[in-house]
Amino acid sequence: MCADTLLKDIENCRKEMVELAAKTSLSNQRVVAMSTKLDHLLNKYDHLTSKKTFVY
């Protein structure tokens, strides 16, 4: 998966989560599930784009 596609997925997930939270509550089970999905996408993006170099 490329970074651009992942960024679009992140933005769509974030938007959907915010809209759902506005209609329900932050503790709604579906909002929490969307938040977890968003965390997963963000971690995936970070892993994909990070250039971790080790200095010994």
Side-chain angles (χ1 to χ4, degrees):
M1 179 177 279
C2 72
D4 289 337
T5 303
L6 201 46
L7 281 174
K8 289 176 185 174
D9 290 346
I10 288 168
E11 184 57 27
N12 288 337
C13 184
R14 185 200 62 79
K15 183 179 177 185
E16 193 175 329
M17 182 186 71
V18 168
E19 289 174 358
L20 184 60
K23 294 176 185 174
T24 59
S25 70
L26 292 175
S27 60
N28 180 283
Q29 185 178 9
R30 290 173 36 210
V31 175
V32 173
M34 290 298 298
S35 177
T36 302
K37 179 180 176 182
L38 181 58
D39 285 345
H40 176 73
L41 291 170
L42 289 167
N43 288 336
K44 196 171 186 179
Y45 180 80
D46 182 55
H47 180 71
L48 182 68
T49 60
S50 67
K51 305 252 191 259
K52 296 184 178 174
T53 56
F54 296 97
V55 178
Y56 294 98

